[in-house]
Every structure is written in structure tokens, then in C-alpha cells.
Amino acid sequence: MKIVMLGAPGAGKGTQAERLASEYGLPHISTGDIFRKNIKEGTELGKEAKSFMDAGRLVPDELTVRILLDRVADDDCKKGYILDGFPRTIPQAEALDSELEKLGEKIDFAIDVDVPDENIIKRMSGRRACPRCGATYHMQHVPPKKDGVCDECGTELVIRDDDKPETVKNRLAVYHEQTQPLVEYYRKKGVYHTVDGTADVGAVFDSIRSILG
Ligand code: AP5
Ligand code: MG
């Protein structure tokens, strides 16, 4: 089963993808997490991605597509995967589909976690992330068991560099302009579903599970 998670920055794609990954035993692939890992490790890719991310802009398609196609060619992706934050532009979606077509495969579900912009700005200010394993928390809605520390790996949680209110506004503008057209793209392919992302984390998860069956 191949799933694409759609939705604005901060809609909860990562939160839901993480849960789905453990429920369905599929790899969770976040291009944002891949870029952040590279930034942390100081790789060339990280250096290139950082300037775009800090400005709230998209990393160029060519680079992003190459990284993603490499990742989905790994052995653990043979049974399927959950893509979180990819595709984010029509050319990215087309590149993925043409690669899948060669293998006689396709995206089975595109799940849009729908949250209005005004909720997003509030949510982002409370987000904390684990720089080591990528787990995501929220100070009010999804707190870690121990204040400021990751439940999974014990690492100290951080605020993401791109969660400043100004950057969040840019990310939302970029989302509406470049990513939202994917709604029509996947609707035409008959795989588009939307869930109310303003409900609590467990309720959103249940809605997605009922779509996946
Ligand atoms: P990426 O890391 O993908 O960021 P994003 O899309 O902006 O989304 P976020 O990770 O911010 O939000 P999310 O939807 O995962 O929400 P989360 O679960 O954390 O990309 C970062 C950057 O990398 C991009 O701006 C771009 O520069 C670059 N990039 C990445 N992919 C790219 C691509 N394909 N092409 C080009 N560039 C790319 O939840 C948010 C908060 O809300 C958390 O605190 C969480 O705990 C809380 N929360 C979640 N669900 C709920 C709920 N139901 N109720 C209350 N709180 C909730
Ligand atoms: Mg995320």
C-alpha cells in the first residue's frame, strides 16, 4: 500500500504518518526529515537545502525528486510506504507517477489532513521536535511524558528553525500556491480523500484508518 499524506505545514501529516507507519508496518518517509538529518550532519545536500527551508521556500524539484526516488527504491519499500511532505508540486507528483508506472504500480491513497490557516499558526508555536529520531510533540496537545525530552530516544526536544511565525506564513503561502493543486491532481486519479485535521490526534487517526480499511 502506497500512501501520500497531503496537508498544509503543521496540519499533522508527520504525526499521523508516524502512527500509520507503526500500525501498518510501512516505512514513514518524510522529505523534510531527510533534509533536516542532512543539515544536522553538515552534508552537501543539507547545505543546499537549508537556505530554502529557512526561508520557508521549497527545495528545488530536481534535487527533491532524486532523493525521494532513491529512498523508495530501498528494500524496505517493496511492500509500500507512507510519504509525508512529498510530493509538494505537480512536477514532483508526475515524476513519482512516471517512476511507479514503469513498475506497474501506483499511489493507492492520497490523504489530505485539512486544517485552516488560522489554526496552523497557533499549532506551530507549541511544536517541539526530536532532532535525533524526528518524533513530534506539542506542548499542549501532544506533550512528551517527561518535559522537554523525547519519549522514544531520550533526546532533548528543540524548536524547528522554520517554525518562526514569519517563516510559517511563507510556508503557508507556498503551500497554497504550489502544493494545493495536488488536491485536483489526486482527485482526478480517484485516490483523493480528506479528513478533518482539527479533531484530536486519535480521532484524525481513526478517520484515516477507516479510509484505508
Ligand atoms: P516538512 O518537514 O515536510 O514540513 P511541513 O510540510 O511544513 O510540515 P510540518 O512538518 O511542519 O507539519 P506536519 O504536517 O508534519 O505536522 P506535525 O505532525 O508536525 O518540510 C519542511 C521544509 O522542507 C519545507 O518548507 C521545504 O523547504 C522542505 N521540503 C520538504 N519536502 C519538500 C518537497 N517535497 N519539495 C520541496 N521542498 C521540501 O504537527 C504540527 C504540530 O501540531 C505538532 O506540534 C503536533 O504535535 C501538533 N498536532 C498534530 N496533530 C494535531 C491535532 N490533531 N491536534 C492538535 N495538535 C496536533
Ligand atoms: Mg512534518
Side-chain angles (χ1 to χ4, degrees):
M1 179 160 64
K2 299 187 187 60
I3 305 168
V4 163
M5 302 298 294
L6 296 173
K13 302 180 294 295
T15 301
Q16 296 300 330
E18 220 173 283
R19 288 173 188 229
L20 291 167
S22 65
E23 172 98 0
Y24 290 87
L26 296 171
H28 166 202
I29 303 174
S30 154
T31 35
D33 286 350
I34 295 174
F35 291 139
R36 279 185 289 277
K37 182 164 179 280
N38 277 273
I39 291 172
K40 194 162 158 257
E41 291 169 355
T43 66
E44 278 310 309
L45 166 64
K47 282 178 202 151
E48 197 168 343
K50 185 169 171 44
S51 59
F52 295 100
M53 290 172 74
D54 284 353
R57 294 169 54 208
L58 296 184
V59 176
D61 283 344
E62 200 207 39
L63 182 62
T64 310
V65 165
R66 187 152 38 90
I67 295 211
L68 190 277
L69 293 184
D70 262 10
R71 177 64 187 89
V72 298
D74 287 347
D75 273 353
D76 65 331
C77 291
K78 288 207 163 67
K79 54 190 188 293
Y81 40 77
I82 302 162
L83 299 184
D84 157 19
F86 186 100
R88 257 183 153 90
T89 63
I90 298 280
Q92 289 183 13
E94 289 172 345
L96 174 62
D97 278 344
S98 84
E99 200 62 25
L100 289 174
E101 245 168 60
K102 288 183 205 159
L103 305 166
E105 296 172 1
K106 64 175 188 61
I107 294 298
D108 302 296
F109 297 94
I111 309 284
D112 188 0
V113 184
D114 184 33
V115 177
D117 287 10
E118 48 285 12
N119 302 35
I120 300 274
I121 312 260
K122 277 188 228 141
R123 255 192 207 183
M124 295 303 226
S125 61
R127 172 160 63 183
R128 296 295 180 271
C130 175
R132 179 138 180 264
C133 73
T136 301
Y137 302 88
H138 190 284
M139 293 205 302
Q140 285 85 42
H141 309 302
V142 192
K145 293 191 186 89
K146 186 169 169 232
D147 221 21
V149 176
C150 181
D151 293 349
E152 307 294 326
C153 67
T155 306
E156 199 173 322
L157 301 176
V158 299
I159 299 179
R160 260 170 54 176
D161 284 346
D162 59 351
D163 276 351
K164 296 186 207 83
E166 265 320 293
T167 314
V168 171
K169 277 188 203 146
N170 287 346
R171 286 162 62 199
L172 277 170
V174 166
Y175 167 75
H176 289 300
E177 192 186 312
Q178 302 193 53
T179 306
Q180 227 168 12
L182 290 174
V183 168
E184 245 345 271
Y185 181 91
Y186 284 113
R187 194 175 267 147
K188 279 191 190 135
K189 293 193 179 282
V191 296
Y192 176 82
H193 302 265
T194 182
V195 294
D196 175 8
T198 63
D200 69 46
V201 172
V204 178
F205 184 60
D206 289 342
S207 318
I208 299 176
R209 240 187 341 199
S210 69
I211 292 167
L212 302 181

